[in-house]
Amino acid sequence: MIAMLQRLGHATLENIRGVGAASIMLFQALVGKPQPLKMFPLLVRQLYVVGVQSMLIILISGLFIGMVLGLQGYTILVDFGAEQALGPMVALSLLRELGPVVTALLFAGRAGSALTAEIGLMRATEQLSSLEMMAVDPLRRVVAPRFWAGVITMPLLAFMFSAVGIYGGFMVGVQWLGVDDGAFWSVMQSNVEWQQDIINGFIKSLVFAVVVTWIALYKGYTAAPTSPGISAATTQTVVYSSLAVLGLDFVLTAIMFG
Amino acid sequence: MTTRTMELMVGVFVAAAIAALVFLGLQVANTSDSTRGETYTLVAKFDNIGGLKVRSPVKVGGVVVGRVSRISLEGEYYEPMVEMQISTRYNAFPETSTASILTSGLLGEQYVGLEPGFIDDFVEMLAEGDEIPNTNSAIVLENLIGQFLFSQGDE
Amino acid sequence: MENIVEVKDVYFNRGETKIYEGVSLEVPRGKVTGIMGPSGCGKTTLLRLIGGQLKAHRGQVLFDKVEVATLGRSDLYETRKRMSMLFQSGALFSELTVFENVAFPLREHTKLPESILQTVVKMKLEAVGLRGAGQLMPAELSGGMARRAALARSIALDPELIMYDEPFAGQDPISMGVLVTLIKELNKTLGLTSIVVSHDIHEVMSIADHVVIMANKKVVAQGSPEALQNHDSALVQQFLSGAADGPVPFHYAAKTYHEDLLGHENAPQKQGGSS
């Protein structure tokens, strides 16, 4: 019993220590004299790796999720004779919830795990130590551009996801199942608010972007420099990011729409 | 991968994101909201506002001309007071107009229905901050049933 | 003779494990210093202490008479520009070509115009015999070539001190020979000071002017190679001759063989007892 409590206490302290260390890491990476000339090429490279390479999976997933929403929504709404509400249903589900959340989950799996593995491998092959010995701060050189790239790209990916998803819902609902074209868009427009839905969805995905990228970078930076260490860190990135995203989503939803 | 192609791809990526945002803005959300842009305020007192909420639409003949911006209780008798933002494009409601709280469909949301009144030489137009004197309150179903039963008892 | 690095009575633990208990040594300027010792005696740790990546728990590490551990961040980074380290794996940046790897420290720390930078990088690559390999990616290099490319990178800023971490480990005899020659030549022509951490006795003894032998968390001997050949310590002699058993025991510390095989009833009930 005492041993169990002690283990619980130990685990709690370890977690708090981890959060503290992660905060210090992020702080050191981002604070300091900005060097836009040096940063820009690095940032472009990371935007490519983190953003462009995640685009395809985001677009395809968005399209299919939108199509499924269209199909499921139609079968439910048609029973109430309310198939005109398909437009707002698809649009609101995507903009408020699925866009930010699914994008964040896919991003954690696609880009987050890659970031962790890459930085973990740089640690294992002593590239980070080597940077330090060359008087270059790896936090600012390696961590900072990746962080900004993640924070910039994820909301953009979420917009693409929602847009493609709504188009998928339109294809299934209107072109296949025969919901009226005009009603689909006009009812959607009268129910979707720029401020309430699109901006709030953007804020959500911005928060998720910070959290997921941060976890991925921290896990990579502190990974044990061995193959099991890196594989464990990669797994942890995906698990922790997913849990954090889903938990935060509830909190944010409660604040924004509650 | 050369820097040039990488920059090109990042450009494509950002352009796609902007296209998505424009699509969301123009096609999905109601940015062409009539309450966008210049508005003026009208107020109306009701006995009962039913399920009216802030941001509920204000309609004239089914066309949205504004939105409810504030709901409060005013005066000695705690009368519900509804404040509305009306688009300045529709700035010529006479003071004989009527505001009613109506329901769209059987189960739909409640909205304020504005009905422009008659105009003659003595009637002035409503301006910023004016009160609409004639109002019809929301119909509360329970009251309606009560009245119906009461009138049945009379016969 | 002036010392560029002085380590004075350093204690260092990693977690519960004691790595050093009172290590003192000197690295004379302009010479090749070999640091030798059995695997796992913390030779790499010593280099990280000098580079300021780790801090000693007690004692001092001086670089050019300044204590490394007390330096602030920017002073430490300035100091690091004067030293460089060749890592065991080479630690080349895998996403940059060999040329860009060598150019990296120059691009970071100097504002040389591109034409001069190109010339400097070509000179450094020429010095290690890889001028033709500039456009290759690190993954396309053999182990020996990768280490030479990393060497070119570490001399890019003309440091005062180069630390070689196990430069000969896992090399075939030819690339080993190349590296030995390179270390000696670079030290002479560029006026560097070199620290070579290794357990390849033969190679180190052939290039070093000063040799430090570490074992059991301490420095057991230091001096010129000739002096060490005639050192009277049994430990030094065991290490230099490579005998399997001696003061550094062949067996990991354990209870006696007899007890372990026969004395089950006396054996502590520790095995598997953590569940």
Side-chain angles (χ1 to χ4, degrees):
Chain A
M1 184 65 196
I2 301 233
M4 229 174 74
L5 280 176
Q6 191 236 326
R7 232 175 297 156
L8 178 70
H10 180 76
T12 313
L13 289 177
E14 275 300 299
N15 278 325
I16 294 173
R17 201 191 57 79
V19 171
S23 311
I24 290 170
M25 182 198 83
L26 193 64
F27 183 78
Q28 287 181 341
L30 303 185
V31 171
K33 198 171 67 200
Q35 299 164 302
L37 275 180
K38 267 182 195 167
M39 267 297 265
F40 188 72
L42 295 171
L43 184 63
V44 168
R45 181 182 190 88
Q46 292 311 319
L47 285 175
Y48 177 78
V49 173
V50 170
V52 177
Q53 295 191 347
S54 309
M55 202 164 124
L56 193 64
I57 186 177
I58 293 288
L59 291 180
I60 293 175
S61 314
L63 187 67
F64 277 107
I65 286 191
M67 283 161 65
V68 167
L69 276 177
L71 198 54
Q72 288 280 20
Y74 181 81
T75 52
I76 294 168
L77 292 171
V78 80
D79 287 347
F80 302 99
E83 65 268 27
Q84 317 242 311
L86 185 64
M89 198 211 89
V90 170
L92 290 181
S93 325
L94 281 166
L95 288 169
R96 288 183 179 180
E97 287 299 328
L98 294 173
V101 172
V102 178
T103 303
L105 296 179
L106 289 172
F107 187 88
R110 170 68 184 77
S113 58
L115 284 178
T116 305
E118 189 195 10
I119 294 185
L121 212 58
M122 287 177 89
R123 160 84 63 209
T125 54
E126 296 174 313
Q127 291 183 41
L128 296 181
S129 283
S130 160
L131 276 173
E132 268 181 44
M133 286 307 296
M134 278 188 253
V136 176
D137 187 347
L139 285 172
R140 300 193 51 193
R141 175 87 198 182
V142 174
V143 171
R146 284 166 175 76
F147 179 79
W148 288 123
V151 171
I152 293 170
T153 50
M154 203 200 286
L156 300 185
L157 288 169
F159 283 139
M160 293 186 207
F161 185 96
S162 298
V164 170
I166 290 170
Y167 188 74
F170 167 77
M171 284 199 322
V172 169
V174 175
Q175 299 184 337
W176 180 21
L177 298 169
V179 175
D180 180 61
D181 187 6
F184 184 86
W185 293 116
S186 64
V187 180
M188 185 190 297
Q189 279 170 14
S190 66
N191 280 283
V192 177
E193 293 286 333
W194 176 261
Q195 163 74 29
Q196 171 82 355
D197 300 315
I198 295 181
I199 299 292
N200 275 350
F202 169 74
I203 294 171
K204 266 191 184 180
S205 72
L206 201 60
V207 172
F208 297 160
V210 170
V211 170
V212 171
T213 319
W214 186 13
I215 291 177
L217 293 173
Y218 178 69
K219 284 291 163 194
Y221 201 73
T222 55
T226 56
S227 354
I230 293 172
S231 103
T234 313
T235 313
Q236 282 176 356
T237 292
V238 176
V239 171
Y240 288 2
S241 314
S242 308
L243 290 178
V245 163
L246 295 172
L248 273 173
D249 182 47
F250 176 75
V251 174
L252 288 174
T253 306
I255 294 171
M256 290 170 175
F257 305 105
Chain B
M1 180 72 54
T2 65
T3 314
R4 184 181 282 277
T5 30
M6 205 139 61
E7 282 174 350
L8 182 71
M9 293 303 285
V10 171
V12 170
F13 173 80
V14 174
I18 292 173
L21 196 58
V22 167
F23 169 75
L24 292 178
L26 296 185
Q27 185 74 354
V28 176
N30 52 343
T31 41
S32 54
D33 193 349
S34 51
T35 54
R36 215 146 276 275
E38 298 281 294
T39 58
Y40 68 103
T41 311
L42 291 182
V43 295
K45 283 187 182 141
F46 295 92
D47 292 337
N48 192 322
I49 61 157
L52 198 71
K53 292 183 182 66
V54 172
R55 296 204 57 74
S56 293
V58 178
K59 298 183 185 180
V60 175
V63 178
V64 178
V65 296
R67 297 213 172 256
V68 172
S69 58
R70 203 162 74 92
I71 295 173
S72 55
L73 288 175
E74 292 291 324
E76 221 176 316
Y77 303 106
Y78 294 132
E79 274 179 292
M81 164 101 107
V82 174
E83 212 174 282
M84 294 165 275
Q85 300 292 327
I86 311 288
S87 168
T88 41
R89 276 195 292 164
Y90 312 106
N91 58 356
F93 291 106
E95 57 182 5
T96 51
S97 303
T98 312
S100 323
I101 295 181
L102 302 170
T103 307
S104 55
L106 195 59
L107 301 167
E109 53 172 2
Q110 293 197 296
Y111 64 95
V112 178
L114 260 184
E115 208 172 315
F118 64 90
I119 306 174
D120 65 21
D121 294 346
F122 307 103
V123 175
E124 287 181 30
M125 292 300 159
L126 290 170
E128 165 72 29
D130 283 354
E131 187 181 333
I132 304 167
N134 308 320
T135 59
N136 293 321
S137 290
I139 297 166
V140 180
L141 203 59
E142 290 90 324
N143 295 351
L144 211 62
I145 294 168
Q147 277 170 12
F148 175 72
L149 291 177
F150 195 64
S151 62
Q152 289 283 303
D154 274 359
E155 283 173 14
Chain C
M1 190 165 44
E2 192 202 358
N3 293 324
I4 189 162
V5 173
E6 284 179 46
V7 176
K8 290 181 179 166
D9 196 29
V10 160
Y11 284 71
F12 185 79
N13 308 333
R14 179 165 287 152
E16 299 289 301
T17 324
K18 290 195 173 81
I19 308 281
Y20 297 142
E21 285 181 321
V23 165
S24 302
L25 56 87
E26 288 90 41
V27 177
R29 189 185 284 276
K31 306 277 181 178
V32 178
T33 301
I35 296 179
M36 296 198 288
S39 309
C41 74
K43 301 185 294 284
T44 307
T45 308
L46 185 72
L47 299 186
R48 290 186 187 273
L49 284 170
I50 297 172
Q53 290 188 315
L54 296 173
K55 280 192 167 63
H57 294 112
R58 249 179 67 190
Q60 287 178 307
V61 179
L62 305 182
F63 174 79
D64 204 13
K65 306 195 171 48
V66 180
E67 194 176 347
V68 180
T70 57
L71 290 174
R73 216 181 94 100
S74 54
D75 288 340
L76 180 63
Y77 274 44
E78 280 308 309
T79 308
R80 279 181 185 165
K81 289 181 194 170
R82 297 165 55 198
M83 49 171 100
S84 75
M85 185 150 157
L86 184 70
F87 287 86
Q88 208 166 339
S89 58
L92 292 169
F93 302 125
S94 38
E95 80 269 27
L96 299 179
T97 61
V98 170
F99 187 93
E100 283 303 317
N101 260 290
V102 179
F104 181 85
L106 295 166
R107 290 197 199 282
E108 279 296 318
H109 294 308
T110 66
K111 290 196 167 69
L112 292 178
E114 187 63 26
S115 59
I116 297 181
L117 190 136
Q118 297 263 346
T119 314
V120 173
V121 173
K122 280 179 191 153
M123 282 164 63
K124 303 294 175 186
L125 282 172
E126 176 69 19
V128 297
L130 288 179
R131 193 163 43 82
Q135 293 317 310
L136 297 181
M137 296 305 280
E140 298 170 289
L141 300 179
S142 71
M145 280 160 77
R147 222 161 280 189
R148 279 194 277 157
L151 183 53
R153 185 178 65 180
S154 54
I155 57 172
L157 282 177
D158 295 321
E160 294 166 43
L161 170 72
I162 298 195
M163 297 180 272
Y164 299 88
D165 187 5
E166 302 279 5
F168 312 119
Q171 298 293 308
D172 63 67
I174 298 173
S175 37
M176 205 129 119
V178 170
L179 284 165
V180 167
T181 322
L182 269 176
I183 293 172
K184 210 176 171 96
E185 287 299 310
L186 288 175
N187 202 71
K188 204 162 67 189
T189 54
L190 300 179
L192 298 164
T193 307
S194 307
I195 302 178
V196 181
V197 155
S198 177
H199 44 235
D200 293 281
I201 301 147
H202 182 73
E203 282 70 23
V204 176
M205 295 299 258
S206 70
I207 52 170
D209 305 301
H210 183 81
V211 175
V212 179
I213 296 181
M214 296 176 70
N216 300 334
K217 299 157 193 155
K218 286 194 175 70
V219 171
V220 286
Q222 55 177 323
S224 67
E226 297 75 34
L228 287 180
Q229 291 289 5
N230 304 319
H231 203 275
D232 51 4
S233 149
L235 194 63
V236 174
Q237 289 308 328
Q238 187 205 351
F239 190 75
L240 292 181
S241 64
D245 212 349
V248 175
F250 169 70
H251 295 285
Y252 190 79
K255 51 189 175 291
T256 64
Y257 199 30
H258 178 81
E259 198 185 322
D260 208 11
L261 291 183
L262 301 174
H264 289 299
E265 64 275 16
N266 299 332
Q269 301 295 311
K270 238 188 164 175
Q271 287 87 340
S274 61
S275 59

